[in-house]
Amino acid sequence: MECVFCRIVQGKARAQVLHEDEHCVAFQDIAPQAPVHVLIVPRRHIPHTLALREGGDEALMGHLVQVANRLARKLGVADRGFRLVINTNAEAGQTVFHLHVHLLAGRPMHWPPG
Ligand code: 5GP
Ligand code: ZN
């Protein structure tokens, strides 16, 4: 099994898990870029957003955003603000090719992003 996030989803690699359900797992990023840095990952191996199925994966993506909302509230950053980031392919900085939503919060975010 090559994919590190598949390994985490299947419980074969360690992570600090904050949420799991039948569709996704959310865990702390190993190299946090903000006081709150959580990755929300579908259980299914989807390499990136370009591999999402049209007319099939819309509910999954909506679910990932709802889980992000729930975690932001639980972690006390919803009202202050938070940023959701999805990197697709190399120039965007994607390094793990298993779709994930970054939930970043706990410090002021800059715009435009780097
Ligand atoms: P990307 O650059 O692909 O959007 O983000 C990948 C993220 O996964 C990075 O923020 C990186 O720190 C995180 N990451 C990479 N390997 C691991 C790991 O084994 N465990 C955890 N918890 N996070 C990881
Ligand atoms: Zn995977």
Side-chain angles (χ1 to χ4, degrees):
M1 174 70 64
E2 291 290 313
C3 174
V4 63
F5 288 177
C6 278
R7 289 181 57 81
I8 289 172
V9 161
Q10 292 166 15
K12 294 175 181 161
R14 282 175 184 275
Q16 289 182 272
V17 174
L18 300 181
H19 168 90
E20 51 185 323
D21 61 42
E22 63 178 313
H23 301 296
C24 71
V25 179
F27 51 88
Q28 307 275 13
D29 195 290
I30 204 168
Q33 301 301 309
V36 171
H37 190 170
V38 179
L39 302 174
I40 301 139
V41 174
R43 285 190 180 275
R44 202 172 93 228
H45 181 86
I46 303 168
H48 45 52
T49 56
L50 294 167
L52 286 164
R53 294 195 288 241
E54 260 187 73
D57 284 333
E58 288 80 359
L60 174 64
M61 285 310 299
H63 179 69
L64 300 184
V65 173
Q66 290 297 357
V67 168
N69 283 340
R70 213 180 300 165
L71 287 168
R73 290 194 188 97
K74 186 172 155 187
L75 297 169
V77 296
D79 290 342
R80 289 171 61 186
F82 59 91
R83 183 170 289 175
L84 303 183
V85 174
I86 305 174
N87 296 319
T88 298
N89 278 336
E91 203 160 309
Q94 186 175 7
T95 58
V96 176
F97 286 80
H98 181 135
L99 178 65
H100 50 282
V101 178
H102 296 256
L103 165 60
L104 294 153
R107 64 166 170 80
M109 298 288 157
H110 303 292
W111 195 263

